[in-house]
Amino acid sequence: MFGTVVVGIGIAGSVRLRDMLNPMPSSPSAHLKLVGFVSRRTLDSINEVKQIGLQDALGNKEIQAAIISTDNKSHEENVRMFLEAGKHVLVEYPMALSASTARELWELAEQKGKILHVEHIELLTEEYKQLKKEVTGKELVKGTLHFTGGALDEERSGFPAFSGIARLTWLIDLFGDLTVTSATREEQKEENYSRMTAHFQTANKKPLTWIEERGPGMRRDKKISFCFKSGCLENLPEAPRSAVGLFMQDQNLFAKKLFGQVSREELAAEKWRILRCLDLAEEIRQHCERPAEIHS
């Protein structure tokens, strides 16, 4: 059994608590034992799970693993503290708000001999699995992925290329390595509106565009337009929801890693994908933050 603590009791953290309390029988997660939770708020207990202090969690020898579900800006600090304390770590995406920090954390995990698992449930949805089946083996001509959603507090969630890294993960996983060719951002701060547009090339020099658009009242939605030599895919495929929740699937994967049930090749491919996406997010931010050129 791996004694585990959940850090941060927001939407994701509450689901993590629920899943820890109700593991699938005979699943890898059944070997994770919930010791307590850490929260900035005073909650005392939730479903008879006790609240514990951060320092107590770091120093508790019964705790071998931490699930970090805080807001994005706190991921780095918490991941670093728990790795330094010799704990395995599962962290919600993005693992950090800069590429260089993410690499430091991964190196720290390797130095400590600990698992650092980054949640990317967007790859676990039935919708995405079906999309990947439909894309695999086709020759891309051009494509666009356009996400819309409600406004975010950027101070807590980070630059859109980081807070929206799930979309970048889709593109990398579907089409392989990408090169950023340009990126811009339109903001209406008084309206709390933001639209980031990033342009890429695939290894075969085919163009891809990612648009991340957020504002008050905007419906959460993803639109695709992927054109191949054989035709265009303009709608996400319909797929039934899995009987196993996304966070539970992710938790099972974390537990499999703890038990050495994931191959070195899979771990290396996942590490490359996660760090490459963060590198691209950093490049996009740099493009967007460059002052506009003035032409006379």
Side-chain angles (χ1 to χ4, degrees), residues 17-197:
L17 269 187
R18 181 200 68 193
D19 287 352
M20 287 288 298
L21 289 168
N22 302 282
M24 296 166 57
S26 304
S27 72
S29 289
H31 298 280
L32 301 178
K33 177 187 176 185
L34 184 59
V35 175
F37 68 87
V38 175
S39 176
R40 291 174 301 183
R41 296 171 288 161
T42 302
L43 300 171
D44 296 326
S45 66
I46 299 174
N47 295 329
E48 299 183 2
V49 180
K50 64 181 179 180
Q51 181 170 5
I52 56 181
L54 175 60
Q55 293 305 316
D56 291 337
L58 291 167
N60 190 334
K61 292 183 179 178
E62 287 184 41
I63 295 173
Q64 289 91 38
I67 297 176
I68 310 299
S69 299
T70 60
D71 52 31
N72 294 353
K73 73 170 184 179
S74 302
H75 286 177
E76 173 195 344
E77 179 184 16
N78 282 289
V79 170
R80 193 183 301 278
M81 284 192 295
F82 279 94
L83 287 175
E84 289 283 12
K87 318 293 187 187
H88 302 286
V89 172
L90 180 162
V91 60
E92 316 293 357
Y93 77 77
M95 64 182 290
L97 295 179
S98 80
S100 59
T101 297
R103 290 183 181 279
E104 285 176 24
L105 294 175
W106 214 290
E107 287 172 11
L108 176 60
E110 290 173 347
Q111 288 167 11
K112 293 284 185 177
K114 299 300 172 185
I115 296 296
L116 174 54
H117 172 80
V118 185
E119 166 267 309
H120 277 288
I121 57 172
E122 71 277 9
L123 299 179
L124 303 177
T125 67
E126 295 305 307
E127 173 188 66
Y128 178 73
K129 291 173 186 175
Q130 187 60 38
L131 174 64
K132 189 165 184 179
K133 281 182 186 176
E134 295 191 18
V135 166
T136 298
K138 293 182 178 175
E139 192 172 339
L140 183 73
V141 175
K142 63 179 181 178
T144 299
L145 172 58
H146 184 174
F147 174 86
T148 58
L152 287 181
D153 177 357
E154 199 166 312
E155 180 65 30
R156 295 171 61 191
S157 61
F159 187 79
F162 287 89
S163 60
I165 206 162
R167 267 65 72 189
L168 193 47
T169 303
W170 266 28
L171 294 178
I172 283 277
D173 195 58
L174 289 172
F175 303 112
D177 197 10
L178 302 175
T179 303
V180 181
T181 55
S182 67
T184 57
R185 187 182 184 196
E186 174 194 347
E187 277 190 283
Q188 298 171 14
K189 290 191 175 178
E190 67 283 357
E191 303 292 335
N192 211 7
Y193 171 83
S194 168
R195 179 185 172 107
M196 183 194 75
T197 303

Side-chain angles (χ1 to χ4, degrees), residues 238-287:
E238 292 187 12
R241 292 183 66 174
S242 171
V244 181
L246 297 175
F247 284 99
M248 182 67 85
Q249 291 181 52
D250 180 66
Q251 185 174 291
N252 283 334
L253 179 55
F254 176 54
K256 284 177 70 176
K257 291 178 180 179
L258 295 179
F259 287 103
Q261 296 171 356
V262 179
S263 72
R264 288 185 179 181
E265 291 76 14
E266 289 175 284
L267 291 172
E270 185 181 85
K271 174 185 174 181
W272 177 86
R273 189 200 73 232
I274 290 167
L275 294 179
R276 182 62 182 142
C277 287
L278 288 161
D279 284 340
L280 292 172
E282 192 76 69
E283 285 187 54
I284 291 166
R285 174 164 58 189
Q286 290 169 4
H287 275 277

